Amino acid sequence: MAIARDTESLSSSLDAEQLGLDRAGLLGMYRDMLVTRGIEERGHILYKQGKIPGSFYTGRGNEAGAVGVASAMQPEDAGTPLHRDMGVHVTRGVEPWRILAQYMGREDGPARGRDGNVHMALIEQNLVAMVSHLPAMMPVAVGLALAFRIRNERRVSVCWYGDGAAARGDAHEAMNFAGVRRLPVVFVCDNNQYAYSTPPQLEYACANLADRAAAYGFDGVVVDGTDILAVYSEAKRAIEKARQGGGPTLVECVTLRMEGHAVHDNAFYVPRELLDEWAKRDPIARFRLWLSEHVQASEAELSELEEQVKALLAEAQKRAESSPAPDPSELEQGVYAEPEQPQENADA
Ligand SMILES: Cc1ncc(C[n+]2csc(CCOP(=O)(O)OP(=O)(O)O)c2C)c(N)n1
């Protein structure tokens, strides 16, 4: 029995306008999706050229989920994006060359060559870098929301996690605590239907992961994660509700992971027909069509934008490749926070 609410697609430019999205904003979202995919495609090639250490993950198919949610956040809001959410970093303004530098372990990557290639975030964008253990960032995101509450700040924390991660205990603890305290946090479940090779029927027994929200005392909503405007609309509603003191929401964005778990994996266990079916719902192609139908974006205008993104990324890659490797003698710098100086106690 499903409990969560299902969303509808946004159908017209009027709907988008009602959400506060003008033509420039809509084209900006399209651009952010293109940049996200382009960076990951380049990363894939760099990995195969042996230029990226470790393994390499992409969020192909999840561009609408990442860019749509991030576009609905305010700059002061905070978030904990994961390995499928590169679009969050792009939307919040990290320069593409720095992401490519991060991939290659260079000094100019946000982690300055000191962490895994997708373990990155710029704290000035109010993003917290992920750790590998899933979903260890959920209690962190809830902690951010608790801090906002205690400090009386009208900020919202956005917490991304996967369908596989949803099965672990820390996901339950985070959501339970957030529900009990009605904290300003939005849980975004990137349900890409596979946790490595584990399919949905072996991951959970409810109809939707968003159904679980009811058990924690807040709303759950299932969104087509390939429809950027539906994602934006639900994320905006959830974020502003949290800001007004209405407590958490669980937004489940349903997609299909369009590549292997990481690039070494050919995903032989995902049925070909399923991949073919979801390929027809590619989020970038869908939005491109919407833009041409609803805001009269011409073929020439869209192609020009696409060429601009290609040129930007070619330049970004050159710059990233010229970024130096970190100096081994400085390896330990910037890894741990410097301890704060104890405050002078006036009464002592
Ligand atoms: C606690 C823990 N166990 C195992 C792993 C190894 N691992 C990394 S990603 C992943 C799959 C996670 O699936 P999901 O949460 O659905 O996210 P997805 O990668 O599909 O986006 C696994 C098992 C991990 N990172 N953390």
Side-chain angles (χ1 to χ4, degrees):
M1 185 188 67
I3 300 167
R5 181 168 56 83
D6 255 315
T7 52
E8 284 172 17
S9 286
L10 280 191
S11 53
S12 68
S13 54
L14 206 66
D15 295 334
E17 227 172 85
Q18 280 161 1
L19 290 170
L21 290 170
D22 58 13
R23 192 175 193 280
L26 292 161
L27 286 168
M29 287 163 80
Y30 181 60
R31 179 190 172 280
D32 287 340
M33 289 165 88
L34 291 174
V35 171
T36 303
R37 180 164 296 178
I39 288 175
E40 293 190 331
E41 283 176 347
R42 279 180 183 266
H44 202 143
I45 294 166
L46 289 168
Y47 179 82
K48 290 193 168 160
Q49 289 173 341
K51 293 182 181 170
I52 295 187
S55 57
F56 183 66
Y57 301 81
T58 76
R60 194 180 186 90
N62 194 43
E63 294 88 352
V67 173
V69 175
S71 301
M73 294 167 71
Q74 295 298 322
E76 67 273 20
D77 295 336
T80 55
L82 297 184
H83 51 305
R84 310 293 178 203
D85 305 311
M86 189 52 66
V88 176
H89 302 276
V90 170
T91 305
R92 285 182 78 83
V94 63
E95 295 166 276
W97 77 277
R98 296 199 63 192
I99 298 177
L100 291 165
Q102 167 81 20
Y103 285 171
M104 293 186 282
R106 306 298 173 88
E107 184 63 34
D108 292 297
R112 302 186 49 226
R114 285 151 174 79
D115 205 338
N117 51 59
V118 291
H119 292 195
M120 53 163 264
L122 288 176
I123 200 73
E124 55 269 32
Q125 291 175 354
N126 292 317
L127 298 177
V128 184
M130 64 176 283
V131 294
S132 276
H133 317 76
L134 298 169
M137 298 311 288
M138 291 183 77
V140 175
V142 170
L144 291 170
L146 180 62
F148 299 156
R149 161 75 52 75
I150 291 169
R151 294 178 189 161
N152 230 346
E153 295 173 348
R154 285 170 64 80
R155 300 166 70 186
V156 177
S157 170
V158 181
C159 169
W160 283 266
Y161 68 109
D163 41 287
R168 281 186 44 98
D170 21 8
H172 163 71
E173 291 169 32
M175 293 210 220
N176 187 54
F177 187 79
V180 168
R181 302 285 187 104
R182 285 178 76 76
L183 293 177
V185 53
V186 175
F187 297 101
V188 179
C189 181
D190 291 328
N191 184 353
N192 61 14
Q193 304 190 51
Y194 278 82
Y196 209 133
S197 55
T198 308
Q201 65 274 21
L202 295 177
E203 290 187 90
Y204 50 93
C206 40
N208 311 287
L209 285 167
D211 295 342
R212 292 187 182 160
Y216 300 115
F218 48 86
D219 289 338
V221 56
V222 184
V223 190
D224 175 351
T226 68
D227 179 344
I228 190 164
L229 295 179
V231 171
Y232 176 89
S233 162
E234 291 303 327
K236 185 96 186 157
R237 184 204 304 260
I239 289 169
E240 293 317 318
K241 179 180 171 183
R243 201 184 311 285
Q244 303 306 322
T249 304
L250 197 176
V251 180
E252 177 183 356
C253 295
V254 183
T255 57
L256 180 68
R257 196 191 67 210
M258 296 307 289
E259 291 183 331
H261 172 69
V263 297
H264 64 267
D265 167 32
N266 70 4
F268 64 90
Y269 45 82
V270 180
R272 172 59 40 203
E273 311 75 61
L274 193 63
L275 283 163
D276 291 347
E277 183 193 322
W278 283 80
K280 291 187 203 130
R281 296 165 61 176
D282 178 76
I284 296 185
R286 280 191 76 178
F287 195 39
R288 192 182 201 279
L289 187 65
W290 188 93
L291 288 167
S292 64
E293 285 178 352
H294 294 282
V295 294
Q296 285 72 49
S298 67
E299 187 53 41
E301 187 179 12
L302 292 170
S303 304
E304 194 189 327
L305 183 59
E306 287 150 5
E307 287 310 313
Q308 280 169 4
V309 168
K310 271 190 209 151
L312 171 86
L313 295 182
E315 202 45 50
Q317 185 170 332
K318 268 196 225 145
R319 195 167 170 192
E321 294 208 57
S322 67
S323 171
D327 179 345
S329 70
E330 294 174 5
L331 189 69
E332 289 176 12
Q333 289 175 18
V335 176
Y336 296 103
E338 298 295 329
E340 284 179 17
Q341 293 303 317
Q343 299 258 324
E344 287 286 327
N345 185 340
D347 298 333

